[in-house]
Amino acid sequence: MLDAIAEHRRIAVVGLAKNAGKTTTLNALTAQASGAGMRVAICSIGRDGEREDILTRLPKPAITVPSGSYCVTTDRLAGGLELIEPIDQTGVLGRPGVYRCPAGSGPHGRTVELVGMNRITVARAALSVLDRLTDLVFIDGA
């Protein structure tokens, strides 16, 4: 699967409906790329990784950030992650930033809740940082 995407710097995982498998696909791609030695990041244009969908009240799959990999979330949701660079914005769920999952976070990394890239200014700032730090950025297209 990595052969099909290796020439790209950013991959958006999108679907036409809820429960279409976007997060499951995102987790599989991230794990495979990280396992192949690529420096990866995960971010979302909405809110992902929460236990329950706020609209349907159905359970949602967790999002796993591999050890040593990066993500975009907010200070209120980043428990245990290392802040790399804050983004000069404030949202309902806190201040967004680029975070790194510490290298000693277990064999699979950490589950996280992604939020923060809901404005173009935040997305541009976050992607600028991630482009410097990583080989490949996965975007969960809520």
Side-chain angles (χ1 to χ4, degrees):
M1 186 167 21
L2 280 181
D3 293 339
I5 63 172
E7 65 190 61
H8 302 284
R9 296 268 311 153
R10 298 177 187 163
I11 302 294
V13 180
V14 299
L16 298 177
K18 285 188 165 292
N19 303 314
K22 296 180 294 291
T23 301
T24 300
T25 300
L26 178 89
N27 280 330
L29 289 170
T30 304
Q32 191 173 11
S34 177
M38 297 179 81
R39 296 171 304 151
V40 300
I42 309 171
C43 51
S44 175
I45 62 167
R47 183 177 184 184
D48 289 290
E50 68 273 33
R51 293 180 189 264
E52 181 181 271
D53 188 287
I54 196 164
L55 297 175
T56 66
R57 298 291 184 217
L58 294 173
K60 290 182 69 172
I63 291 181
T64 302
V65 177
S67 294
S69 297
Y70 300 86
C71 69
V72 176
T73 192
T74 64
D75 54 357
R76 287 180 44 198
L77 301 172
L81 299 175
E82 174 189 357
L83 177 63
I84 300 300
E85 190 164 325
I87 296 170
D88 193 24
Q89 301 275 332
T90 302
V92 175
L93 293 174
R95 185 176 185 184
V98 173
Y99 290 84
R100 183 175 174 275
C101 182
S105 296
H108 303 293
R110 260 187 208 179
T111 59
V112 299
E113 191 171 329
L114 302 177
V115 69
M117 288 194 15
N118 60 348
R119 293 187 201 127
I120 192 69
T121 54
V122 175
R124 282 185 181 138
L127 291 171
S128 174
V129 173
L130 294 175
D131 284 346
R132 286 193 328 261
L133 298 172
T134 66
D135 302 311
L136 188 55
V137 177
F138 293 102
I139 304 167
D140 193 323

